[in-house]
Amino acid sequence: MYSYSLLETSCYYLIQEKAEGPISLIRVNLDTDYCMFVTRFGETEQTEWKKKSDPIHEILELLGEEKVKEWQSSYYSNEDAYYEDGEE
């Protein structure tokens, strides 16, 4: 079992918080003495505070820069799909 204290600021990780839980993509935004401020990417972006001692069942992968760029290209290209021409 792992914890959030192992994660580094400004890095993207694929994690699984519970043994049979879903895989999540997160980015660590800020690291304090006791907590971490993370962004969780799903259908929408959610930010949340996690205790450094909060458990993570498995850290599947630290995404490299190339993979992050590929993912961002795909993830953010879908944001404009809901707007019709001329609407913002």
Side-chain angles (χ1 to χ4, degrees), residues 20 24 30 56:
E20 300 299 320
S24 300
L30 177 66
I56 298 173

Side-chain angles (χ1 to χ4, degrees), residues 12 63-77:
Y12 289 82
L63 273 68
E65 287 184 39
E66 282 302 312
K67 291 297 177 190
V68 169
K69 287 178 185 177
E70 286 178 41
W71 167 79
Q72 286 175 331
S73 174
S74 173
Y75 185 78
Y76 291 113
S77 70

Side-chain angles (χ1 to χ4, degrees), residues 1-2 4 15-24 40 50 54-60:
M1 178 115 6
Y2 302 101
Y4 278 86
I15 65 167
Q16 194 170 18
E17 288 185 306
K18 296 183 178 157
E20 300 299 320
I23 295 171
S24 300
R40 184 175 307 275
K50 298 299 259 183
D54 284 349
I56 298 173
H57 172 70
E58 190 169 1
I59 300 171
L60 301 166

Side-chain angles (χ1 to χ4, degrees):
M1 178 115 6
Y2 302 101
S3 70
Y4 278 86
S5 65
L6 296 172
L7 306 180
E8 295 182 32
T9 304
S10 300
C11 293
Y12 289 82
Y13 294 90
L14 289 172
I15 65 167
Q16 194 170 18
E17 288 185 306
K18 296 183 178 157
E20 300 299 320
I23 295 171
S24 300
L25 175 65
I26 65 166
R27 179 179 190 266
V28 179
N29 302 312
L30 177 66
D31 176 4
T32 68
D33 289 339
Y34 300 102
C35 296
M36 306 197 88
F37 187 63
V38 300
T39 300
R40 184 175 307 275
F41 299 94
E43 287 186 33
T44 61
E45 292 180 23
Q46 296 179 315
T47 55
E48 61 187 341
W49 285 98
K50 298 299 259 183
K51 289 181 184 178
K52 286 185 175 183
S53 61
D54 284 349
I56 298 173
H57 172 70
E58 190 169 1
I59 300 171
L60 301 166
E61 188 173 1
L62 164 63
L63 273 68
E65 287 184 39
E66 282 302 312
K67 291 297 177 190
V68 169
K69 287 178 185 177
E70 286 178 41
W71 167 79
Q72 286 175 331
S73 174
S74 173
Y75 185 78
Y76 291 113
S77 70
N78 293 327
E79 281 189 336
D80 296 331
Y82 299 106
Y83 295 109
E84 292 186 23
D85 292 334
E87 289 184 25
E88 291 189 49

